[in-house]
Protein backbone atom coordinates (compact mmCIF):
# COMPACT_ATOMS: atom_id res chain seq x y z
CA UNK A 1 0.00 0.00 0.00
CA UNK A 2 1.21 3.48 -0.83
CA UNK A 3 2.61 4.98 2.38
CA UNK A 4 1.39 8.45 1.40
CA UNK A 5 -2.27 7.27 1.36
CA UNK A 6 -2.84 7.43 5.17
CA UNK A 7 -1.28 10.88 5.26
CA UNK A 8 -3.47 12.01 2.39
CA UNK A 9 -6.59 10.59 4.05
CA UNK A 10 -5.65 12.31 7.33
CA UNK A 11 -5.11 15.61 5.52
CA UNK A 12 -8.44 15.34 3.71
CA UNK A 13 -10.22 14.53 6.99
CA UNK A 14 -8.60 17.53 8.64
CA UNK A 15 -9.62 19.82 5.78
CA UNK A 16 -13.20 18.45 5.85
CA UNK A 17 -13.47 19.02 9.60
CA UNK A 18 -12.26 22.60 9.23
CA UNK A 19 -14.70 23.27 6.41
CA UNK A 20 -17.78 21.60 7.85
CA UNK A 21 -17.60 22.41 11.57
CA UNK A 22 -19.06 24.62 12.82
CA UNK A 23 -21.82 25.35 10.31
CA UNK A 24 -22.44 28.71 12.02
CA UNK A 25 -18.96 29.90 12.98
CA UNK A 26 -19.91 33.49 13.94
CA UNK A 27 -22.48 34.04 16.67
CA UNK A 28 -23.66 37.53 15.73
CA UNK A 29 -24.97 36.34 12.37
CA UNK A 30 -27.07 33.63 13.98
CA UNK A 31 -28.76 35.10 17.05
CA UNK A 32 -32.47 36.01 17.03
CA UNK A 33 -33.01 34.07 13.79
CA UNK A 34 -30.69 36.35 11.81
CA UNK A 35 -28.87 33.45 10.18
CA UNK A 36 -32.02 31.75 8.96
CA UNK A 37 -33.33 34.87 7.25
CA UNK A 38 -29.98 36.14 5.97
CA UNK A 39 -29.62 32.78 4.20
CA UNK A 40 -33.12 33.09 2.76
CA UNK A 41 -32.47 36.68 1.66
CA UNK A 42 -29.20 35.69 -0.07
CA UNK A 43 -30.37 32.41 -1.65
CA UNK A 44 -27.89 30.55 0.54
CA UNK A 45 -28.57 27.00 1.79
CA UNK A 46 -28.56 26.01 5.48
CA UNK A 47 -26.02 23.25 4.82
CA UNK A 48 -23.21 25.75 4.18
CA UNK A 49 -21.34 27.74 6.86
CA UNK A 50 -22.52 31.33 7.18
CA UNK A 51 -19.17 33.12 7.04
CA UNK A 52 -20.10 36.70 7.94
CA UNK A 53 -20.11 38.87 11.05
CA UNK A 54 -22.94 41.30 11.81
CA UNK A 55 -23.82 43.91 14.37
CA UNK A 56 -25.72 42.64 17.40
CA UNK A 57 -28.91 44.30 16.19
CA UNK A 58 -30.26 47.40 14.46
CA UNK A 59 -28.93 50.49 16.22
CA UNK A 60 -26.09 52.95 15.85
CA UNK A 61 -23.92 52.51 18.95
CA UNK A 62 -20.90 54.69 19.53
CA UNK A 63 -18.06 54.10 19.81
CA UNK A 64 -18.20 51.38 17.21
CA UNK A 65 -16.80 49.16 15.84
CA UNK A 66 -16.51 47.05 18.96
CA UNK A 67 -13.36 45.00 19.66
CA UNK A 68 -15.12 41.68 19.02
CA UNK A 69 -16.13 42.96 15.58
CA UNK A 70 -12.66 44.19 14.67
CA UNK A 71 -11.02 40.98 15.88
CA UNK A 72 -13.40 38.62 14.13
CA UNK A 73 -11.89 36.26 11.56
CA UNK A 74 -14.98 36.51 9.33
CA UNK A 75 -14.17 37.71 5.79
CA UNK A 76 -16.89 40.38 5.81
CA UNK A 77 -18.74 42.64 8.26
CA UNK A 78 -22.36 43.85 8.16
CA UNK A 79 -24.15 46.71 9.93
CA UNK A 80 -27.74 47.86 9.65
CA UNK A 81 -26.77 51.53 9.22
CA UNK A 82 -24.78 53.60 6.74
CA UNK A 83 -23.07 55.55 9.54
CA UNK A 84 -21.77 52.35 11.18
CA UNK A 85 -20.40 51.14 7.85
CA UNK A 86 -18.69 54.50 7.39
CA UNK A 87 -17.02 54.27 10.81
CA UNK A 88 -15.90 50.72 10.03
CA UNK A 89 -14.22 51.84 6.82
CA UNK A 90 -12.27 54.46 8.77
CA UNK A 91 -10.49 51.74 10.78
CA UNK A 92 -10.57 48.55 8.69
CA UNK A 93 -9.97 47.43 5.12
CA UNK A 94 -12.19 44.36 5.52
CA UNK A 95 -15.30 44.58 3.27
CA UNK A 96 -18.36 45.96 5.05
CA UNK A 97 -21.94 46.32 3.83
CA UNK A 98 -25.32 47.64 4.96
CA UNK A 99 -27.61 44.81 6.10
CA UNK A 100 -31.26 44.91 5.06
CA UNK A 101 -33.08 43.92 8.25
CA UNK A 102 -33.48 40.13 8.39
CA UNK A 103 -36.45 40.66 10.72
CA UNK A 104 -38.32 42.92 8.32
CA UNK A 105 -37.56 40.62 5.40
CA UNK A 106 -38.95 37.71 7.45
CA UNK A 107 -42.10 39.64 8.39
CA UNK A 108 -42.89 40.50 4.79
CA UNK A 109 -42.00 37.01 3.54
CA UNK A 110 -44.33 35.42 6.10
CA UNK A 111 -47.04 38.06 5.64
CA UNK A 112 -47.23 38.86 9.36
CA UNK A 113 -49.27 41.98 10.17
CA UNK A 114 -50.90 43.37 13.28
CA UNK A 115 -53.96 41.29 14.07
CA UNK A 116 -57.39 42.77 13.43
CA UNK A 117 -58.22 41.77 17.01
CA UNK A 118 -55.05 43.34 18.47
CA UNK A 119 -55.60 44.95 21.86
CA UNK A 120 -53.65 46.21 24.83
CA UNK A 121 -49.94 46.94 25.11
CA UNK A 122 -46.83 44.82 25.03
CA UNK A 123 -44.20 46.24 27.40
CA UNK A 124 -40.60 45.29 26.62
CA UNK A 125 -38.73 45.30 29.91
CA UNK A 126 -35.14 46.58 29.55
CA UNK A 127 -33.19 43.36 29.77
CA UNK A 128 -29.99 42.33 31.45
CA UNK A 129 -27.09 40.48 29.82
CA UNK A 130 -24.46 38.06 31.07
CA UNK A 131 -22.23 41.02 32.03
CA UNK A 132 -24.72 43.87 32.63
CA UNK A 133 -27.17 43.78 35.55
CA UNK A 134 -30.50 45.59 35.52
CA UNK A 135 -31.19 46.71 39.08
CA UNK A 136 -34.48 48.58 38.71
CA UNK A 137 -36.97 47.03 41.13
CA UNK A 138 -39.88 45.10 39.67
CA UNK A 139 -42.15 46.84 42.17
CA UNK A 140 -41.13 50.15 40.54
CA UNK A 141 -42.06 48.80 37.12
CA UNK A 142 -45.41 47.70 38.54
CA UNK A 143 -46.10 51.11 40.10
CA UNK A 144 -45.44 52.83 36.78
CA UNK A 145 -47.48 50.39 34.71
CA UNK A 146 -50.44 50.35 37.09
CA UNK A 147 -51.26 54.02 36.36
CA UNK A 148 -51.36 53.72 32.57
CA UNK A 149 -54.61 54.91 30.94
CA UNK A 150 -57.32 52.38 30.19
CA UNK A 151 -56.86 52.64 26.41
CA UNK A 152 -53.43 50.96 26.76
CA UNK A 153 -54.62 48.08 28.93
CA UNK A 154 -54.22 45.20 29.45
CA UNK A 155 -50.44 45.16 29.74
CA UNK A 156 -48.41 42.15 28.59
CA UNK A 157 -44.84 41.88 29.87
CA UNK A 158 -42.25 40.69 27.37
CA UNK A 159 -38.99 39.42 28.87
CA UNK A 160 -35.67 38.51 27.32
CA UNK A 161 -34.61 34.92 27.89
CA UNK A 162 -31.77 36.12 30.18
CA UNK A 163 -34.34 37.47 32.62
CA UNK A 164 -36.68 34.50 32.35
CA UNK A 165 -33.78 32.29 33.38
CA UNK A 166 -33.26 34.54 36.39
CA UNK A 167 -36.87 33.91 37.44
CA UNK A 168 -38.18 37.42 36.82
CA UNK A 169 -41.22 36.07 34.99
CA UNK A 170 -42.56 34.64 38.26
CA UNK A 171 -42.34 38.03 39.94
CA UNK A 172 -44.36 39.71 37.19
CA UNK A 173 -46.89 36.88 37.27
CA UNK A 174 -47.34 37.54 41.00
CA UNK A 175 -48.39 41.08 40.08
CA UNK A 176 -51.05 39.69 37.73
CA UNK A 177 -49.42 40.34 34.37
CA UNK A 178 -49.44 38.08 31.37
CA UNK A 179 -45.75 37.32 30.69
CA UNK A 180 -44.33 36.27 27.33
CA UNK A 181 -40.93 35.73 25.71
CA UNK A 182 -39.78 35.15 22.14
CA UNK A 183 -37.54 32.38 23.48
CA UNK A 184 -33.88 31.52 23.32
CA UNK A 185 -31.86 34.00 21.25
CA UNK A 186 -30.20 31.11 19.36
CA UNK A 187 -33.51 29.51 18.38
CA UNK A 188 -33.98 30.04 14.64
CA UNK A 189 -37.75 30.44 15.21
CA UNK A 190 -37.15 33.54 17.34
CA UNK A 191 -38.10 36.03 14.60
CA UNK A 192 -41.49 34.47 13.91
CA UNK A 193 -42.30 34.21 17.62
CA UNK A 194 -41.34 37.82 18.20
CA UNK A 195 -43.56 39.18 15.44
CA UNK A 196 -46.55 37.01 16.35
CA UNK A 197 -46.36 38.28 19.93
CA UNK A 198 -45.97 41.86 18.77
CA UNK A 199 -48.85 41.60 16.31
CA UNK A 200 -51.31 40.61 19.06
CA UNK A 201 -51.05 44.10 20.55
CA UNK A 202 -52.34 47.53 19.58
CA UNK A 203 -49.45 49.41 21.21
CA UNK A 204 -45.87 48.82 22.34
CA UNK A 205 -43.96 50.41 25.23
CA UNK A 206 -40.59 50.19 26.94
CA UNK A 207 -38.43 52.15 29.34
CA UNK A 208 -35.48 51.67 26.97
CA UNK A 209 -35.34 52.23 23.23
CA UNK A 210 -34.36 48.93 21.66
CA UNK A 211 -34.75 47.22 18.32
CA UNK A 212 -38.34 46.30 19.25
CA UNK A 213 -39.19 49.99 18.90
CA UNK A 214 -37.94 49.97 15.31
CA UNK A 215 -39.72 46.72 14.50
CA UNK A 216 -43.00 47.89 16.03
CA UNK A 217 -42.92 51.17 14.12
CA UNK A 218 -42.14 49.46 10.82
CA UNK A 219 -45.12 47.19 11.50
CA UNK A 220 -47.31 50.28 12.06
CA UNK A 221 -47.71 49.62 15.79
CA UNK A 222 -47.39 52.86 17.84
CA UNK A 223 -44.43 52.72 20.22
CA UNK A 224 -43.56 54.92 23.18
CA UNK A 225 -40.86 55.33 25.83
CA UNK A 226 -42.39 55.27 29.28
CA UNK A 227 -41.14 54.99 32.84
CA UNK A 228 -37.81 55.60 34.51
CA UNK A 229 -34.83 54.17 32.59
CA UNK A 230 -33.13 50.94 33.60
CA UNK A 231 -30.51 50.97 36.35
CA UNK A 232 -27.71 49.20 34.54
CA UNK A 233 -24.47 48.11 36.15
CA UNK A 234 -21.70 46.62 34.04
CA UNK A 235 -19.47 43.95 35.53
CA UNK A 236 -16.91 44.88 32.87
CA UNK A 237 -15.77 43.14 29.70
CA UNK A 238 -13.77 43.96 26.57
CA UNK A 239 -16.58 46.19 25.26
CA UNK A 240 -17.76 47.99 28.41
CA UNK A 241 -16.04 49.34 31.47
CA UNK A 242 -17.06 48.21 34.94
CA UNK A 243 -19.57 50.41 36.76
CA UNK A 244 -22.81 52.25 36.09
CA UNK A 245 -23.77 51.78 32.46
CA UNK A 246 -25.42 54.86 30.95
CA UNK A 247 -23.20 55.82 28.00
CA UNK A 248 -25.80 54.65 25.47
CA UNK A 249 -28.07 57.54 26.52
CA UNK A 250 -25.71 60.19 25.13
CA UNK A 251 -25.34 58.86 21.60
CA UNK A 252 -26.97 60.88 18.78
CA UNK A 253 -28.99 57.79 17.85
CA UNK A 254 -30.50 57.44 21.31
CA UNK A 255 -31.11 61.16 21.74
CA UNK A 256 -33.06 61.23 18.47
CA UNK A 257 -35.03 58.16 19.54
CA UNK A 258 -36.04 59.95 22.76
CA UNK A 259 -37.07 63.02 20.76
CA UNK A 260 -39.29 60.94 18.47
CA UNK A 261 -40.73 58.35 20.87
CA UNK A 262 -40.73 59.80 24.39
CA UNK A 263 -44.10 59.46 26.13
CA UNK A 264 -47.19 57.37 25.59
CA UNK A 265 -47.89 56.31 22.00
CA UNK A 266 -50.50 58.01 19.87
CA UNK A 267 -53.06 56.10 17.84
CA UNK A 268 -50.78 55.97 14.80
CA UNK A 269 -47.10 56.21 13.96
CA UNK A 270 -45.74 59.44 12.51
CA UNK A 271 -43.88 59.82 9.18
CA UNK A 272 -40.77 60.90 11.13
CA UNK A 273 -40.90 57.74 13.25
CA UNK A 274 -41.30 55.58 10.15
CA UNK A 275 -38.34 57.20 8.40
CA UNK A 276 -36.19 56.85 11.53
CA UNK A 277 -37.02 53.15 11.70
CA UNK A 278 -36.39 52.59 8.00
CA UNK A 279 -33.00 54.27 8.29
CA UNK A 280 -31.81 52.18 11.24
CA UNK A 281 -33.23 48.94 9.88
CA UNK A 282 -31.24 49.29 6.66
CA UNK A 283 -34.40 49.40 4.54
CA UNK A 284 -33.27 52.42 2.52
CA UNK A 285 -29.67 51.40 1.87
CA UNK A 286 -29.32 47.66 2.55
CA UNK A 287 -27.77 45.55 -0.17
CA UNK A 288 -30.12 43.70 -2.52
CA UNK A 289 -30.81 39.97 -2.44
CA UNK A 290 -28.60 39.43 -5.50
CA UNK A 291 -25.78 41.42 -3.89
CA UNK A 292 -26.18 39.46 -0.66
CA UNK A 293 -25.91 36.18 -2.56
CA UNK A 294 -22.66 37.33 -4.16
CA UNK A 295 -21.22 38.39 -0.79
CA UNK A 296 -22.26 35.18 1.01
CA UNK A 297 -20.78 32.82 -1.57
CA UNK A 298 -17.61 34.87 -1.89
CA UNK A 299 -17.19 34.97 1.89
CA UNK A 300 -17.60 31.18 1.98
CA UNK A 301 -14.82 30.81 -0.59
CA UNK A 302 -12.48 33.14 1.32
CA UNK A 303 -13.27 31.48 4.67
CA UNK A 304 -12.81 27.97 3.26
CA UNK A 305 -9.55 28.87 1.53
CA UNK A 306 -8.20 30.32 4.78
CA UNK A 307 -9.13 27.17 6.73
CA UNK A 308 -7.56 24.93 4.11
CA UNK A 309 -4.35 26.94 4.15
CA UNK A 310 -4.27 26.89 7.96
CA UNK A 311 -4.61 23.10 7.72
CA UNK A 312 -1.48 22.94 5.61
CA UNK A 313 0.36 25.28 7.99
CA UNK A 314 -0.50 23.34 11.18
Amino acid sequence: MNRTAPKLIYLLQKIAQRLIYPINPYWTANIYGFGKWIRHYGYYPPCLPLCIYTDHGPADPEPSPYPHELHSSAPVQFYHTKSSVSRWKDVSRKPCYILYSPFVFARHTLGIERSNSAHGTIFFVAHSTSTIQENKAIDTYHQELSVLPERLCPITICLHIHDVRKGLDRKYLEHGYRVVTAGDSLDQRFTERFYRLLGQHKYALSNLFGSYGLYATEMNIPFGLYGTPPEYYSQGDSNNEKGEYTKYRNTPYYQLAIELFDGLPDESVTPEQVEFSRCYLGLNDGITRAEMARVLYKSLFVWAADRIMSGFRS
Side-chain angles (χ1 to χ4, degrees):
M1 181 178 178
N2 189 336
R3 292 183 178 180
T4 62
K7 292 183 179 179
L8 180 59
I9 292 172
Y10 171 76
L11 179 60
L12 290 174
Q13 287 175 337
K14 194 170 183 180
I15 289 173
Q17 288 170 356
R18 286 175 177 270
L19 286 174
I20 295 172
Y21 182 83
I23 292 299
N24 297 319
Y26 303 107
W27 68 273
T28 59
N30 290 285
I31 55 172
Y32 305 128
F34 274 16
K36 174 180 177 178
W37 292 103
I38 288 172
R39 291 171 184 276
H40 193 2
Y41 188 77
Y43 308 103
Y44 192 79
C47 60
L48 295 177
L50 189 59
C51 307
I52 64 172
Y53 212 80
T54 71
D55 51 3
H56 184 65
D60 193 27
E62 295 182 28
S64 66
Y66 288 118
H68 70 92
E69 295 167 343
L70 287 169
H71 299 154
S72 163
S73 63
V76 64
Q77 174 72 33
F78 277 93
Y79 291 103
H80 284 77
T81 64
K82 185 187 295 185
S83 53
S84 292
V85 170
S86 178
R87 286 196 296 273
W88 174 270
K89 291 181 177 180
D90 288 339
V91 297
S92 177
R93 298 179 63 182
K94 183 187 292 186
C96 186
Y97 303 94
I98 300 174
L99 179 66
Y100 185 98
S101 170
F103 265 52
V104 174
F105 172 69
R107 184 178 83 77
H108 288 285
T109 299
L110 297 170
I112 300 175
E113 302 288 347
R114 183 171 67 176
S115 171
N116 291 331
S117 59
H119 66 286
T121 300
I122 185 167
F123 186 91
F124 295 94
V125 177
H127 71 83
S128 64
T129 71
S130 59
T131 60
I132 298 179
Q133 300 170 214
E134 210 290 79
N135 295 325
K136 181 176 173 179
I138 291 177
D139 284 345
T140 303
Y141 277 107
H142 175 59
Q143 290 168 9
E144 294 171 346
L145 293 173
S146 63
V147 296
L148 284 170
E150 185 63 29
R151 72 179 178 92
L152 299 177
C153 297
I155 307 299
T156 297
I157 298 294
C158 187
L159 293 178
H160 193 283
I161 194 65
H162 283 305
D163 296 322
V164 172
R165 288 172 177 156
K166 293 175 182 177
L168 300 190
D169 55 324
R170 295 192 296 271
K171 297 181 180 180
Y172 282 101
L173 287 169
E174 289 172 1
H175 282 294
Y177 295 103
R178 177 189 177 220
V179 181
V180 298
T181 179
D184 192 296
S185 59
L186 292 176
D187 190 326
Q188 293 302 297
R189 298 167 295 176
F190 184 98
T191 311
E192 297 93 311
R193 285 202 198 101
F194 170 84
Y195 271 123
R196 291 195 168 105
L197 288 172
L198 180 61
Q200 295 172 10
H201 299 86
K202 191 174 180 181
Y203 310 96
L205 281 175
S206 182
N207 62 323
L208 176 76
F209 193 84
S211 56
Y212 37 74
L214 300 173
Y215 297 138
T217 303
E218 189 277 331
M219 198 176 176
N220 202 34
I221 295 176
F223 174 84
L225 283 168
Y226 172 77
T228 54
E231 299 172 8
Y232 278 141
Y233 183 85
S234 173
Q235 299 173 17
D237 59 21
S238 60
N239 298 301
N240 296 297
E241 295 181 358
K242 186 174 183 178
E244 186 179 7
Y245 180 69
T246 59
K247 65 180 182 180
Y248 67 90
R249 299 180 193 173
N250 300 319
T251 65
Y253 163 77
Y254 202 82
Q255 288 297 312
L256 183 54
I258 292 175
E259 182 180 327
L260 290 172
F261 294 96
D262 191 37
L264 299 180
D266 294 324
E267 294 304 304
S268 61
V269 300
T270 68
E272 293 79 13
Q273 291 172 336
V274 170
E275 184 55 33
F276 177 84
S277 297
R278 288 187 59 83
C279 174
Y280 288 102
L281 289 169
L283 305 187
N284 296 334
D285 305 296
I287 65 173
T288 66
R289 296 188 70 183
E291 291 170 329
M292 177 63 86
R294 178 184 62 82
V295 171
L296 293 183
Y297 285 102
K298 182 178 179 180
S299 67
L300 171 64
F301 175 80
V302 173
W303 179 84
D306 179 68
R307 290 178 74 84
I308 291 172
M309 293 307 298
S310 67
F312 281 109
R313 290 192 295 267
S314 61

